[in-house]
Amino acid sequence: MKKNTLKEDLLFTTIGVAILAVCLWDGIGITFDSHLYLLGSSWVLQHGFTDIFEVPAFRAKPPVLSVLYALLQNNISLIKLSNLLILAGMLLVNFRLATILISDAFFRKFTKAVLATATPFMLVHSFLWSEPFFIFILSLYFLLSYKTLVQPRKVLWLYLLTILALMLIGLRHIGIVFALVGSLYLLLHYKRFSRTQLIPVALNVVLPPLALLWWHTNVLAHGGNAGEYNLIHNLDLARNFLLYADVLKVWLLPPGLPFAAVLSVMAFIFYAAVAVLAIRQSYTSEVRHLVLLFILCSAAYAGVMLLKGDLLADDNERYLSVIYAPLTMLLFYVFSNKAAIMNRKVVWLLCILWFTYPLVRTLHNVNRWHHDGINNYNPATTPEKILRDYKNPQ
């Protein structure tokens, strides 16, 4: 039986968008990456796609976000509005995924409340970064992948999956991880599809790697450097692991607690246990496809990100925001199933008490960002290195 959750979805989406609007009231955050996207969009506005591999910004970053900003005329107000709309779309898609995964009414609504007020989402949508659009497309990719597995007669969805996979790669090179895992998972279930449907299934496997290879080959041919991807170089696996595990910890517990490294490792073990329990609990139901897609994609993404050299401590939550929604939905999927054998009122009370922490964390950060000027945009502050090394050719 399908659940009509549109009213609650719109309510929680409105709350999330309202919180983000406060973040964006005075401006939008601009970083090194942001300037590259704006330089790329400036080239597209002036020259279209002519000689794009001559543009240093495109040798460092894929093109889709720059194209989007070009469509918005590099107008900061329109970019802020687009981030608000992208957050709304991303939340609505993830709310649909939560409704599919979690049948218990309390935990379904609770999960949506957590997602709508999440610090990771407010963070990435407060900056001119690729993550907002990337997470939105990834959420659609998860939803469509699940739909094609449970309703395999929808051939159009299979072609749309290929387009979404190409967009993931066009937003961030790491999108190839999600595209490969998702497409190979579909291919493993080829018996669900007719001979005609296997054509888009095969395209979904082949086209994304070919597109990335074509782009990367052209980057190298025009003087780009494979080092731009910054994998392995100055790699410190132990440090990277603790930085990412610390993010998992602060998603669950307040920062500043003693034995931080130990708690971070325990948080990683906790999420690993959640993944194992989710697989066991969903083994005989159709939602196992969604559970496995979440787990396989999240694990593959985290594994590749562990190899990132020169990882900045300030970027760890930004990078893991990509898998925040899948991990959060898996967490409360497991809890909702376990709560069936516990005193429900006690469980509800404990959940609400815990929720005060992520909610207060988000409100604290939103207030800090709003008053401390983290989101102020000033073109004159463009770093000298970007002006020197990444300026558009004349």
Side-chain angles (χ1 to χ4, degrees), residues 131 134 172 174-175 177-178 181 244 295-306 318-323:
E131 278 79 8
F134 186 88
R172 294 181 65 198
I174 195 70
V177 172
F178 297 100
V181 172
Y244 288 132
I295 292 172
L296 293 173
C297 287
S298 298
Y301 174 76
V304 173
M305 294 306 293
L306 272 177
R318 170 190 174 184
Y319 292 147
L320 285 195
S321 67
V322 171
I323 55 174

mmCIF file with all atom_site columns, all heavy atoms in Angstrom, residues 131 134 172 174-175 177-178 181 244 295-306 318-323:
data_model
loop_
_atom_site.group_PDB
_atom_site.id
_atom_site.type_symbol
_atom_site.label_atom_id
_atom_site.label_alt_id
_atom_site.label_comp_id
_atom_site.label_asym_id
_atom_site.label_entity_id
_atom_site.label_seq_id
_atom_site.pdbx_PDB_ins_code
_atom_site.Cartn_x
_atom_site.Cartn_y
_atom_site.Cartn_z
_atom_site.occupancy
_atom_site.B_iso_or_equiv
_atom_site.pdbx_formal_charge
_atom_site.auth_seq_id
_atom_site.auth_comp_id
_atom_site.auth_asym_id
_atom_site.auth_atom_id
_atom_site.pdbx_PDB_model_num
ATOM 1   N N   . GLU A 1 131 ? 28.689 20.169 -4.511  1.00 0.00 ? 131 GLU A N   1
ATOM 2   C CA  . GLU A 1 131 ? 27.978 19.159 -3.697  1.00 0.00 ? 131 GLU A CA  1
ATOM 3   C C   . GLU A 1 131 ? 26.453 19.292 -3.707  1.00 0.00 ? 131 GLU A C   1
ATOM 4   O O   . GLU A 1 131 ? 25.760 18.262 -3.781  1.00 0.00 ? 131 GLU A O   1
ATOM 5   C CB  . GLU A 1 131 ? 28.494 19.177 -2.255  1.00 0.00 ? 131 GLU A CB  1
ATOM 6   C CG  . GLU A 1 131 ? 29.753 18.400 -2.017  1.00 0.00 ? 131 GLU A CG  1
ATOM 7   C CD  . GLU A 1 131 ? 31.005 19.136 -2.453  1.00 0.00 ? 131 GLU A CD  1
ATOM 8   O OE1 . GLU A 1 131 ? 30.889 20.346 -2.812  1.00 0.00 ? 131 GLU A OE1 1
ATOM 9   O OE2 . GLU A 1 131 ? 32.094 18.553 -2.435  1.00 0.00 ? 131 GLU A OE2 1
ATOM 10  N N   . PHE A 1 134 ? 25.173 17.843 -6.902  1.00 0.00 ? 134 PHE A N   1
ATOM 11  C CA  . PHE A 1 134 ? 25.640 16.460 -6.950  1.00 0.00 ? 134 PHE A CA  1
ATOM 12  C C   . PHE A 1 134 ? 24.767 15.571 -6.057  1.00 0.00 ? 134 PHE A C   1
ATOM 13  O O   . PHE A 1 134 ? 24.343 14.479 -6.474  1.00 0.00 ? 134 PHE A O   1
ATOM 14  C CB  . PHE A 1 134 ? 27.102 16.382 -6.489  1.00 0.00 ? 134 PHE A CB  1
ATOM 15  C CG  . PHE A 1 134 ? 27.715 15.010 -6.630  1.00 0.00 ? 134 PHE A CG  1
ATOM 16  C CD1 . PHE A 1 134 ? 28.337 14.633 -7.813  1.00 0.00 ? 134 PHE A CD1 1
ATOM 17  C CD2 . PHE A 1 134 ? 27.679 14.104 -5.578  1.00 0.00 ? 134 PHE A CD2 1
ATOM 18  C CE1 . PHE A 1 134 ? 28.905 13.369 -7.947  1.00 0.00 ? 134 PHE A CE1 1
ATOM 19  C CE2 . PHE A 1 134 ? 28.243 12.842 -5.701  1.00 0.00 ? 134 PHE A CE2 1
ATOM 20  C CZ  . PHE A 1 134 ? 28.856 12.471 -6.896  1.00 0.00 ? 134 PHE A CZ  1
ATOM 21  N N   . ARG A 1 172 ? 31.336 15.998 -10.592 1.00 0.00 ? 172 ARG A N   1
ATOM 22  C CA  . ARG A 1 172 ? 32.538 15.648 -9.825  1.00 0.00 ? 172 ARG A CA  1
ATOM 23  C C   . ARG A 1 172 ? 33.092 14.358 -10.408 1.00 0.00 ? 172 ARG A C   1
ATOM 24  O O   . ARG A 1 172 ? 32.334 13.419 -10.655 1.00 0.00 ? 172 ARG A O   1
ATOM 25  C CB  . ARG A 1 172 ? 32.221 15.450 -8.342  1.00 0.00 ? 172 ARG A CB  1
ATOM 26  C CG  . ARG A 1 172 ? 31.778 16.688 -7.601  1.00 0.00 ? 172 ARG A CG  1
ATOM 27  C CD  . ARG A 1 172 ? 31.518 16.380 -6.126  1.00 0.00 ? 172 ARG A CD  1
ATOM 28  N NE  . ARG A 1 172 ? 32.738 15.983 -5.443  1.00 0.00 ? 172 ARG A NE  1
ATOM 29  C CZ  . ARG A 1 172 ? 32.760 15.344 -4.274  1.00 0.00 ? 172 ARG A CZ  1
ATOM 30  N NH1 . ARG A 1 172 ? 31.613 15.014 -3.684  1.00 0.00 ? 172 ARG A NH1 1
ATOM 31  N NH2 . ARG A 1 172 ? 33.889 15.018 -3.699  1.00 0.00 ? 172 ARG A NH2 1
ATOM 32  N N   . ILE A 1 174 ? 34.558 12.053 -8.996  1.00 0.00 ? 174 ILE A N   1
ATOM 33  C CA  . ILE A 1 174 ? 34.281 10.942 -8.082  1.00 0.00 ? 174 ILE A CA  1
ATOM 34  C C   . ILE A 1 174 ? 32.910 10.330 -8.368  1.00 0.00 ? 174 ILE A C   1
ATOM 35  O O   . ILE A 1 174 ? 32.598 9.225  -7.917  1.00 0.00 ? 174 ILE A O   1
ATOM 36  C CB  . ILE A 1 174 ? 34.357 11.431 -6.613  1.00 0.00 ? 174 ILE A CB  1
ATOM 37  C CG1 . ILE A 1 174 ? 34.442 10.260 -5.628  1.00 0.00 ? 174 ILE A CG1 1
ATOM 38  C CG2 . ILE A 1 174 ? 33.157 12.311 -6.273  1.00 0.00 ? 174 ILE A CG2 1
ATOM 39  C CD1 . ILE A 1 174 ? 35.719 9.517  -5.642  1.00 0.00 ? 174 ILE A CD1 1
ATOM 40  N N   . GLY A 1 175 ? 32.087 11.020 -9.163  1.00 0.00 ? 175 GLY A N   1
ATOM 41  C CA  . GLY A 1 175 ? 30.786 10.471 -9.541  1.00 0.00 ? 175 GLY A CA  1
ATOM 42  C C   . GLY A 1 175 ? 30.895 9.140  -10.246 1.00 0.00 ? 175 GLY A C   1
ATOM 43  O O   . GLY A 1 175 ? 29.942 8.359  -10.250 1.00 0.00 ? 175 GLY A O   1
ATOM 44  N N   . VAL A 1 177 ? 32.404 6.613  -9.269  1.00 0.00 ? 177 VAL A N   1
ATOM 45  C CA  . VAL A 1 177 ? 32.258 5.551  -8.267  1.00 0.00 ? 177 VAL A CA  1
ATOM 46  C C   . VAL A 1 177 ? 30.793 5.146  -8.149  1.00 0.00 ? 177 VAL A C   1
ATOM 47  O O   . VAL A 1 177 ? 30.448 3.953  -8.192  1.00 0.00 ? 177 VAL A O   1
ATOM 48  C CB  . VAL A 1 177 ? 32.805 6.006  -6.903  1.00 0.00 ? 177 VAL A CB  1
ATOM 49  C CG1 . VAL A 1 177 ? 32.485 4.982  -5.816  1.00 0.00 ? 177 VAL A CG1 1
ATOM 50  C CG2 . VAL A 1 177 ? 34.303 6.243  -6.988  1.00 0.00 ? 177 VAL A CG2 1
ATOM 51  N N   . PHE A 1 178 ? 29.916 6.130  -8.005  1.00 0.00 ? 178 PHE A N   1
ATOM 52  C CA  . PHE A 1 178 ? 28.485 5.839  -7.876  1.00 0.00 ? 178 PHE A CA  1
ATOM 53  C C   . PHE A 1 178 ? 27.932 5.264  -9.178  1.00 0.00 ? 178 PHE A C   1
ATOM 54  O O   . PHE A 1 178 ? 27.096 4.347  -9.151  1.00 0.00 ? 178 PHE A O   1
ATOM 55  C CB  . PHE A 1 178 ? 27.725 7.105  -7.487  1.00 0.00 ? 178 PHE A CB  1
ATOM 56  C CG  . PHE A 1 178 ? 28.112 7.654  -6.154  1.00 0.00 ? 178 PHE A CG  1
ATOM 57  C CD1 . PHE A 1 178 ? 28.986 8.720  -6.046  1.00 0.00 ? 178 PHE A CD1 1
ATOM 58  C CD2 . PHE A 1 178 ? 27.603 7.098  -4.986  1.00 0.00 ? 178 PHE A CD2 1
ATOM 59  C CE1 . PHE A 1 178 ? 29.353 9.230  -4.823  1.00 0.00 ? 178 PHE A CE1 1
ATOM 60  C CE2 . PHE A 1 178 ? 27.961 7.593  -3.749  1.00 0.00 ? 178 PHE A CE2 1
ATOM 61  C CZ  . PHE A 1 178 ? 28.842 8.656  -3.655  1.00 0.00 ? 178 PHE A CZ  1
ATOM 62  N N   . VAL A 1 181 ? 29.205 1.522  -9.471  1.00 0.00 ? 181 VAL A N   1
ATOM 63  C CA  . VAL A 1 181 ? 28.565 0.626  -8.497  1.00 0.00 ? 181 VAL A CA  1
ATOM 64  C C   . VAL A 1 181 ? 27.098 0.428  -8.839  1.00 0.00 ? 181 VAL A C   1
ATOM 65  O O   . VAL A 1 181 ? 26.587 -0.698 -8.856  1.00 0.00 ? 181 VAL A O   1
ATOM 66  C CB  . VAL A 1 181 ? 28.717 1.175  -7.069  1.00 0.00 ? 181 VAL A CB  1
ATOM 67  C CG1 . VAL A 1 181 ? 27.895 0.347  -6.082  1.00 0.00 ? 181 VAL A CG1 1
ATOM 68  C CG2 . VAL A 1 181 ? 30.188 1.173  -6.645  1.00 0.00 ? 181 VAL A CG2 1
ATOM 69  N N   . TYR A 1 244 ? 37.717 11.498 8.770   1.00 0.00 ? 244 TYR A N   1
ATOM 70  C CA  . TYR A 1 244 ? 36.371 11.109 8.328   1.00 0.00 ? 244 TYR A CA  1
ATOM 71  C C   . TYR A 1 244 ? 35.576 10.474 9.468   1.00 0.00 ? 244 TYR A C   1
ATOM 72  O O   . TYR A 1 244 ? 34.374 10.716 9.613   1.00 0.00 ? 244 TYR A O   1
ATOM 73  C CB  . TYR A 1 244 ? 36.465 10.152 7.141   1.00 0.00 ? 244 TYR A CB  1
ATOM 74  C CG  . TYR A 1 244 ? 36.889 10.806 5.858   1.00 0.00 ? 244 TYR A CG  1
ATOM 75  C CD1 . TYR A 1 244 ? 37.892 10.258 5.069   1.00 0.00 ? 244 TYR A CD1 1
ATOM 76  C CD2 . TYR A 1 244 ? 36.292 11.979 5.417   1.00 0.00 ? 244 TYR A CD2 1
ATOM 77  C CE1 . TYR A 1 244 ? 38.291 10.858 3.873   1.00 0.00 ? 244 TYR A CE1 1
ATOM 78  C CE2 . TYR A 1 244 ? 36.681 12.585 4.229   1.00 0.00 ? 244 TYR A CE2 1
ATOM 79  C CZ  . TYR A 1 244 ? 37.685 12.018 3.465   1.00 0.00 ? 244 TYR A CZ  1
ATOM 80  O OH  . TYR A 1 244 ? 38.066 12.620 2.289   1.00 0.00 ? 244 TYR A OH  1
ATOM 81  N N   . ILE A 1 295 ? 24.592 1.030  0.808   1.00 0.00 ? 295 ILE A N   1
ATOM 82  C CA  . ILE A 1 295 ? 25.792 0.535  1.481   1.00 0.00 ? 295 ILE A CA  1
ATOM 83  C C   . ILE A 1 295 ? 26.959 0.409  0.507   1.00 0.00 ? 295 ILE A C   1
ATOM 84  O O   . ILE A 1 295 ? 28.079 0.865  0.794   1.00 0.00 ? 295 ILE A O   1
ATOM 85  C CB  . ILE A 1 295 ? 25.504 -0.818 2.160   1.00 0.00 ? 295 ILE A CB  1
ATOM 86  C CG1 . ILE A 1 295 ? 24.532 -0.619 3.327   1.00 0.00 ? 295 ILE A CG1 1
ATOM 87  C CG2 . ILE A 1 295 ? 26.792 -1.471 2.662   1.00 0.00 ? 295 ILE A CG2 1
ATOM 88  C CD1 . ILE A 1 295 ? 24.022 -1.899 3.937   1.00 0.00 ? 295 ILE A CD1 1
ATOM 89  N N   . LEU A 1 296 ? 26.722 -0.203 -0.640  1.00 0.00 ? 296 LEU A N   1
ATOM 90  C CA  . LEU A 1 296 ? 27.808 -0.406 -1.604  1.00 0.00 ? 296 LEU A CA  1
ATOM 91  C C   . LEU A 1 296 ? 28.355 0.922  -2.122  1.00 0.00 ? 296 LEU A C   1
ATOM 92  O O   . LEU A 1 296 ? 29.579 1.111  -2.220  1.00 0.00 ? 296 LEU A O   1
ATOM 93  C CB  . LEU A 1 296 ? 27.312 -1.270 -2.765  1.00 0.00 ? 296 LEU A CB  1
ATOM 94  C CG  . LEU A 1 296 ? 26.972 -2.729 -2.416  1.00 0.00 ? 296 LEU A CG  1
ATOM 95  C CD1 . LEU A 1 296 ? 26.323 -3.421 -3.614  1.00 0.00 ? 296 LEU A CD1 1
ATOM 96  C CD2 . LEU A 1 296 ? 28.222 -3.486 -1.976  1.00 0.00 ? 296 LEU A CD2 1
ATOM 97  N N   . CYS A 1 297 ? 27.456 1.844  -2.454  1.00 0.00 ? 297 CYS A N   1
ATOM 98  C CA  . CYS A 1 297 ? 27.905 3.147  -2.966  1.00 0.00 ? 297 CYS A CA  1
ATOM 99  C C   . CYS A 1 297 ? 28.631 3.947  -1.889  1.00 0.00 ? 297 CYS A C   1
ATOM 100 O O   . CYS A 1 297 ? 29.669 4.561  -2.152  1.00 0.00 ? 297 CYS A O   1
ATOM 101 C CB  . CYS A 1 297 ? 26.712 3.937  -3.498  1.00 0.00 ? 297 CYS A CB  1
ATOM 102 S SG  . CYS A 1 297 ? 26.056 3.323  -5.073  1.00 0.00 ? 297 CYS A SG  1
ATOM 103 N N   . SER A 1 298 ? 28.088 3.944  -0.679  1.00 0.00 ? 298 SER A N   1
ATOM 104 C CA  . SER A 1 298 ? 28.720 4.699  0.411   1.00 0.00 ? 298 SER A CA  1
ATOM 105 C C   . SER A 1 298 ? 30.089 4.138  0.736   1.00 0.00 ? 298 SER A C   1
ATOM 106 O O   . SER A 1 298 ? 31.054 4.888  0.946   1.00 0.00 ? 298 SER A O   1
ATOM 107 C CB  . SER A 1 298 ? 27.822 4.679  1.655   1.00 0.00 ? 298 SER A CB  1
ATOM 108 O OG  . SER A 1 298 ? 26.583 5.291  1.405   1.00 0.00 ? 298 SER A OG  1
ATOM 109 N N   . ALA A 1 299 ? 30.197 2.804  0.792   1.00 0.00 ? 299 ALA A N   1
ATOM 110 C CA  . ALA A 1 299 ? 31.482 2.173  1.110   1.00 0.00 ? 299 ALA A CA  1
ATOM 111 C C   . ALA A 1 299 ? 32.513 2.440  0.018   1.00 0.00 ? 299 ALA A C   1
ATOM 112 O O   . ALA A 1 299 ? 33.684 2.738  0.308   1.00 0.00 ? 299 ALA A O   1
ATOM 113 C CB  . ALA A 1 299 ? 31.286 0.669  1.303   1.00 0.00 ? 299 ALA A CB  1
ATOM 114 N N   . ALA A 1 300 ? 32.085 2.341  -1.245  1.00 0.00 ? 300 ALA A N   1
ATOM 115 C CA  . ALA A 1 300 ? 33.012 2.583  -2.355  1.00 0.00 ? 300 ALA A CA  1
ATOM 116 C C   . ALA A 1 300 ? 33.480 4.039  -2.361  1.00 0.00 ? 300 ALA A C   1
ATOM 117 O O   . ALA A 1 300 ? 34.677 4.326  -2.544  1.00 0.00 ? 300 ALA A O   1
ATOM 118 C CB  . ALA A 1 300 ? 32.345 2.233  -3.680  1.00 0.00 ? 300 ALA A CB  1
ATOM 119 N N   . TYR A 1 301 ? 32.552 4.962  -2.149  1.00 0.00 ? 301 TYR A N   1
ATOM 120 C CA  . TYR A 1 301 ? 32.897 6.391  -2.122  1.00 0.00 ? 301 TYR A CA  1
ATOM 121 C C   . TYR A 1 301 ? 33.864 6.686  -0.981  1.00 0.00 ? 301 TYR A C   1
ATOM 122 O O   . TYR A 1 301 ? 34.898 7.345  -1.176  1.00 0.00 ? 301 TYR A O   1
ATOM 123 C CB  . TYR A 1 301 ? 31.630 7.212  -1.968  1.00 0.00 ? 301 TYR A CB  1
ATOM 124 C CG  . TYR A 1 301 ? 31.867 8.697  -1.780  1.00 0.00 ? 301 TYR A CG  1
ATOM 125 C CD1 . TYR A 1 301 ? 32.219 9.502  -2.848  1.00 0.00 ? 301 TYR A CD1 1
ATOM 126 C CD2 . TYR A 1 301 ? 31.723 9.285  -0.522  1.00 0.00 ? 301 TYR A CD2 1
ATOM 127 C CE1 . TYR A 1 301 ? 32.430 10.863 -2.684  1.00 0.00 ? 301 TYR A CE1 1
ATOM 128 C CE2 . TYR A 1 301 ? 31.937 10.647 -0.343  1.00 0.00 ? 301 TYR A CE2 1
ATOM 129 C CZ  . TYR A 1 301 ? 32.288 11.429 -1.416  1.00 0.00 ? 301 TYR A CZ  1
ATOM 130 O OH  . TYR A 1 301 ? 32.504 12.773 -1.242  1.00 0.00 ? 301 TYR A OH  1
ATOM 131 N N   . ALA A 1 302 ? 33.545 6.190  0.223   1.00 0.00 ? 302 ALA A N   1
ATOM 132 C CA  . ALA A 1 302 ? 34.415 6.440  1.370   1.00 0.00 ? 302 ALA A CA  1
ATOM 133 C C   . ALA A 1 302 ? 35.793 5.832  1.153   1.00 0.00 ? 302 ALA A C   1
ATOM 134 O O   . ALA A 1 302 ? 36.815 6.425  1.520   1.00 0.00 ? 302 ALA A O   1
ATOM 135 C CB  . ALA A 1 302 ? 33.778 5.877  2.639   1.00 0.00 ? 302 ALA A CB  1
ATOM 136 N N   . GLY A 1 303 ? 35.830 4.650  0.534   1.00 0.00 ? 303 GLY A N   1
ATOM 137 C CA  . GLY A 1 303 ? 37.108 4.001  0.272   1.00 0.00 ? 303 GLY A CA  1
ATOM 138 C C   . GLY A 1 303 ? 37.987 4.814  -0.657  1.00 0.00 ? 303 GLY A C   1
ATOM 139 O O   . GLY A 1 303 ? 39.200 4.949  -0.426  1.00 0.00 ? 303 GLY A O   1
ATOM 140 N N   . VAL A 1 304 ? 37.397 5.388  -1.704  1.00 0.00 ? 304 VAL A N   1
ATOM 141 C CA  . VAL A 1 304 ? 38.175 6.211  -2.632  1.00 0.00 ? 304 VAL A CA  1
ATOM 142 C C   . VAL A 1 304 ? 38.604 7.518  -1.964  1.00 0.00 ? 304 VAL A C   1
ATOM 143 O O   . VAL A 1 304 ? 39.749 7.969  -2.117  1.00 0.00 ? 304 VAL A O   1
ATOM 144 C CB  . VAL A 1 304 ? 37.366 6.499  -3.916  1.00 0.00 ? 304 VAL A CB  1
ATOM 145 C CG1 . VAL A 1 304 ? 38.103 7.501  -4.802  1.00 0.00 ? 304 VAL A CG1 1
ATOM 146 C CG2 . VAL A 1 304 ? 37.113 5.208  -4.680  1.00 0.00 ? 304 VAL A CG2 1
ATOM 147 N N   . MET A 1 305 ? 37.700 8.116  -1.185  1.00 0.00 ? 305 MET A N   1
ATOM 148 C CA  . MET A 1 305 ? 38.031 9.381  -0.526  1.00 0.00 ? 305 MET A CA  1
ATOM 149 C C   . MET A 1 305 ? 39.123 9.212  0.519   1.00 0.00 ? 305 MET A C   1
ATOM 150 O O   . MET A 1 305 ? 39.842 10.167 0.834   1.00 0.00 ? 305 MET A O   1
ATOM 151 C CB  . MET A 1 305 ? 36.781 9.998  0.105   1.00 0.00 ? 305 MET A CB  1
ATOM 152 C CG  . MET A 1 305 ? 35.730 10.446 -0.901  1.00 0.00 ? 305 MET A CG  1
ATOM 153 S SD  . MET A 1 305 ? 36.351 11.567 -2.179  1.00 0.00 ? 305 MET A SD  1
ATOM 154 C CE  . MET A 1 305 ? 36.725 13.017 -1.200  1.00 0.00 ? 305 MET A CE  1
ATOM 155 N N   . LEU A 1 306 ? 39.270 8.017  1.064   1.00 0.00 ? 306 LEU A N   1
ATOM 156 C CA  . LEU A 1 306 ? 40.368 7.754  1.993   1.00 0.00 ? 306 LEU A CA  1
ATOM 157 C C   . LEU A 1 306 ? 41.720 7.943  1.316   1.00 0.00 ? 306 LEU A C   1
ATOM 158 O O   . LEU A 1 306 ? 42.723 8.225  1.981   1.00 0.00 ? 306 LEU A O   1
ATOM 159 C CB  . LEU A 1 306 ? 40.279 6.327  2.540   1.00 0.00 ? 306 LEU A CB  1
ATOM 160 C CG  . LEU A 1 306 ? 39.443 6.087  3.796   1.00 0.00 ? 306 LEU A CG  1
ATOM 161 C CD1 . LEU A 1 306 ? 39.420 4.607  4.132   1.00 0.00 ? 306 LEU A CD1 1
ATOM 162 C CD2 . LEU A 1 306 ? 39.989 6.887  4.978   1.00 0.00 ? 306 LEU A CD2 1
ATOM 163 N N   . ARG A 1 318 ? 32.329 18.303 4.443   1.00 0.00 ? 318 ARG A N   1
ATOM 164 C CA  . ARG A 1 318 ? 31.856 18.636 3.098   1.00 0.00 ? 318 ARG A CA  1
ATOM 165 C C   . ARG A 1 318 ? 31.845 17.382 2.224   1.00 0.00 ? 318 ARG A C   1
ATOM 166 O O   . ARG A 1 318 ? 30.858 17.107 1.535   1.00 0.00 ? 318 ARG A O   1
ATOM 167 C CB  . ARG A 1 318 ? 32.768 19.702 2.489   1.00 0.00 ? 318 ARG A CB  1
ATOM 168 C CG  . ARG A 1 318 ? 32.527 19.960 1.020   1.00 0.00 ? 318 ARG A CG  1
ATOM 169 C CD  . ARG A 1 318 ? 33.624 20.835 0.429   1.00 0.00 ? 318 ARG A CD  1
ATOM 170 N NE  . ARG A 1 318 ? 33.489 20.966 -1.010  1.00 0.00 ? 318 ARG A NE  1
ATOM 171 C CZ  . ARG A 1 318 ? 34.356 21.610 -1.795  1.00 0.00 ? 318 ARG A CZ  1
ATOM 172 N NH1 . ARG A 1 318 ? 35.434 22.180 -1.268  1.00 0.00 ? 318 ARG A NH1 1
ATOM 173 N NH2 . ARG A 1 318 ? 34.160 21.668 -3.094  1.00 0.00 ? 318 ARG A NH2 1
ATOM 174 N N   . TYR A 1 319 ? 32.914 16.627 2.237   1.00 0.00 ? 319 TYR A N   1
ATOM 175 C CA  . TYR A 1 319 ? 33.003 15.446 1.387   1.00 0.00 ? 319 TYR A CA  1
ATOM 176 C C   . TYR A 1 319 ? 32.021 14.359 1.832   1.00 0.00 ? 319 TYR A C   1
ATOM 177 O O   . TYR A 1 319 ? 31.386 13.711 1.002   1.00 0.00 ? 319 TYR A O   1
ATOM 178 C CB  . TYR A 1 319 ? 34.428 14.895 1.391   1.00 0.00 ? 319 TYR A CB  1
ATOM 179 C CG  . TYR A 1 319 ? 35.440 15.801 0.722   1.00 0.00 ? 319 TYR A CG  1
ATOM 180 C CD1 . TYR A 1 319 ? 36.753 15.868 1.161   1.00 0.00 ? 319 TYR A CD1 1
ATOM 181 C CD2 . TYR A 1 319 ? 35.079 16.611 -0.360  1.00 0.00 ? 319 TYR A CD2 1
ATOM 182 C CE1 . TYR A 1 319 ? 37.686 16.703 0.556   1.00 0.00 ? 319 TYR A CE1 1
ATOM 183 C CE2 . TYR A 1 319 ? 35.998 17.452 -0.970  1.00 0.00 ? 319 TYR A CE2 1
ATOM 184 C CZ  . TYR A 1 319 ? 37.293 17.492 -0.511  1.00 0.00 ? 319 TYR A CZ  1
ATOM 185 O OH  . TYR A 1 319 ? 38.205 18.322 -1.125  1.00 0.00 ? 319 TYR A OH  1
ATOM 186 N N   . LEU A 1 320 ? 31.889 14.155 3.141   1.00 0.00 ? 320 LEU A N   1
ATOM 187 C CA  . LEU A 1 320 ? 30.999 13.089 3.613   1.00 0.00 ? 320 LEU A CA  1
ATOM 188 C C   . LEU A 1 320 ? 29.526 13.486 3.564   1.00 0.00 ? 320 LEU A C   1
ATOM 189 O O   . LEU A 1 320 ? 28.659 12.625 3.715   1.00 0.00 ? 320 LEU A O   1
ATOM 190 C CB  . LEU A 1 320 ? 31.374 12.679 5.044   1.00 0.00 ? 320 LEU A CB  1
ATOM 191 C CG  . LEU A 1 320 ? 32.636 11.840 5.196   1.00 0.00 ? 320 LEU A CG  1
ATOM 192 C CD1 . LEU A 1 320 ? 32.697 11.205 6.586   1.00 0.00 ? 320 LEU A CD1 1
ATOM 193 C CD2 . LEU A 1 320 ? 32.730 10.727 4.147   1.00 0.00 ? 320 LEU A CD2 1
ATOM 194 N N   . SER A 1 321 ? 29.241 14.767 3.326   1.00 0.00 ? 321 SER A N   1
ATOM 195 C CA  . SER A 1 321 ? 27.839 15.173 3.183   1.00 0.00 ? 321 SER A CA  1
ATOM 196 C C   . SER A 1 321 ? 27.153 14.411 2.052   1.00 0.00 ? 321 SER A C   1
ATOM 197 O O   . SER A 1 321 ? 25.935 14.219 2.059   1.00 0.00 ? 321 SER A O   1
ATOM 198 C CB  . SER A 1 321 ? 27.750 16.684 2.907   1.00 0.00 ? 321 SER A CB  1
ATOM 199 O OG  . SER A 1 321 ? 28.312 16.996 1.633   1.00 0.00 ? 321 SER A OG  1
ATOM 200 N N   . VAL A 1 322 ? 27.951 13.944 1.086   1.00 0.00 ? 322 VAL A N   1
ATOM 201 C CA  . VAL A 1 322 ? 27.419 13.212 -0.062  1.00 0.00 ? 322 VAL A CA  1
ATOM 202 C C   . VAL A 1 322 ? 26.705 11.937 0.372   1.00 0.00 ? 322 VAL A C   1
ATOM 203 O O   . VAL A 1 322 ? 25.710 11.527 -0.234  1.00 0.00 ? 322 VAL A O   1
ATOM 204 C CB  . VAL A 1 322 ? 28.563 12.891 -1.051  1.00 0.00 ? 322 VAL A CB  1
ATOM 205 C CG1 . VAL A 1 322 ? 28.104 11.946 -2.143  1.00 0.00 ? 322 VAL A CG1 1
ATOM 206 C CG2 . VAL A 1 322 ? 29.102 14.184 -1.660  1.00 0.00 ? 322 VAL A CG2 1
ATOM 207 N N   . ILE A 1 323 ? 27.192 11.301 1.438   1.00 0.00 ? 323 ILE A N   1
ATOM 208 C CA  . ILE A 1 323 ? 26.581 10.032 1.883   1.00 0.00 ? 323 ILE A CA  1
ATOM 209 C C   . ILE A 1 323 ? 25.863 10.184 3.223   1.00 0.00 ? 323 ILE A C   1
ATOM 210 O O   . ILE A 1 323 ? 25.525 9.185  3.856   1.00 0.00 ? 323 ILE A O   1
ATOM 211 C CB  . ILE A 1 323 ? 27.637 8.898  1.965   1.00 0.00 ? 323 ILE A CB  1
ATOM 212 C CG1 . ILE A 1 323 ? 28.808 9.299  2.868   1.00 0.00 ? 323 ILE A CG1 1
ATOM 213 C CG2 . ILE A 1 323 ? 28.132 8.543  0.567   1.00 0.00 ? 323 ILE A CG2 1
ATOM 214 C CD1 . ILE A 1 323 ? 29.807 8.166  3.092   1.00 0.00 ? 323 ILE A CD1 1
#
